[in-house]
Amino acid sequence: CVDPNRFKLGECAVNCYTQWFSGLSCPQHDISVTEQYQIASAKLLRYNFIIILEMLADPDYAKAVENFFGVPGVTAKRGVFCERKSRKANKMVPLVIKNETMERLIDLNKVDIGLYKELTDCLDRDEYNNYGFPKFEPARFSNVSVKVPYDKYVEWKAEKDGGKPGKGEQLKRITIISDEADER
């Protein structure tokens, strides 16, 4: 990626996830892939929960995700816009990858593969063959903030304060009284 205006497949289209997650994707930055990996890893590991989409094919993993969030139907079949056409095309012209091509892709993307392994190595099952995600706790996700429509705020605030006007309401009253006094 020497020329920032030119995309070079051999240099820029490798280890894409590491580049994207680090925010240092080619061609803007001249940063080593090792540094990109460290930054991407640090950013991703700040999250409390990362769902590995292909793991949703495992019914136990999907059930653990459902239990964590307290919502059923994570794996419910949904129609994707181009799903039928894609499946038909794949049956008509199946993808055949030569071993040399596969080895080259693995070599080119070894940093991404390492990042994936780092994120998924903790997905061990316990002695009961279950994933160790905690169960859903409503309080963990409850919205404790109060949502009041803007046009109802004054009434809500007065009710909340026991009928006492808030500072904004006092200022409004002072302004109104002042304006009325000016008119007299």
Side-chain angles (χ1 to χ4, degrees):
C1 297
V2 177
D3 180 0
N5 299 319
R6 251 181 112 195
F7 178 81
K8 294 183 179 177
L9 187 63
E11 295 174 30
C12 297
V14 296
N15 296 310
C16 294
Y17 290 107
T18 301
Q19 291 185 51
W20 293 334
F21 287 126
S22 71
L24 302 169
S25 60
C26 186
Q28 295 100 339
H29 307 282
D30 185 24
I31 297 187
S32 74
V33 72
T34 304
E35 288 176 276
Q36 289 179 16
Y37 175 89
Q38 291 168 345
I39 293 167
S41 175
K43 283 183 176 182
L44 288 167
L45 292 175
R46 289 187 314 197
Y47 290 94
N48 292 322
F49 197 88
I50 297 172
I51 296 174
I52 309 299
L53 294 179
E54 63 270 16
M55 294 281 300
L56 290 173
D58 175 357
D60 294 329
Y61 181 83
K63 188 68 179 161
V65 171
E66 288 176 346
N67 288 339
F68 180 80
F69 288 106
V71 293
V74 168
T75 60
K77 201 76 162 147
R78 292 165 181 85
V80 179
F81 174 72
C82 59
E83 183 177 13
R84 285 189 207 136
K85 289 180 184 178
S86 294
R87 288 185 190 274
K88 184 178 178 182
N90 288 338
K91 284 181 184 176
M92 290 171 55
V93 185
L95 179 64
V96 178
I97 301 174
K98 296 178 186 174
N99 285 340
E100 304 86 53
T101 305
M102 182 63 80
E103 289 168 10
R104 178 75 175 132
L105 289 170
I106 290 170
D107 184 53
L108 286 171
N109 291 287
K110 62 184 165 201
V111 176
D112 268 3
I113 293 167
L115 183 62
Y116 179 86
K117 285 182 179 176
E118 180 180 359
L119 296 173
T120 58
D121 275 351
C122 62
L123 293 176
D124 297 331
R125 296 173 184 228
D126 64 16
E127 65 272 11
Y128 304 107
N129 208 28
N130 295 318
Y131 291 96
F133 304 154
K135 295 272 188 219
F136 175 70
E137 296 289 334
R140 182 185 315 142
F141 296 101
S142 66
N143 184 355
V144 294
S145 63
V146 177
K147 294 182 177 136
V148 179
Y150 179 75
D151 60 331
K152 305 282 187 210
Y153 177 76
V154 173
E155 296 101 39
W156 171 81
K157 183 74 171 144
E159 183 181 308
K160 180 181 167 279
D161 294 340
K164 299 178 207 163
K167 288 181 185 176
E169 193 60 25
Q170 289 172 342
L171 184 60
K172 263 193 225 173
R173 286 185 186 163
I174 292 168
T175 305
I176 293 169
I177 292 170
S178 166
D179 290 343
E180 289 171 2
D182 291 342
E183 289 175 9
R184 289 187 217 155

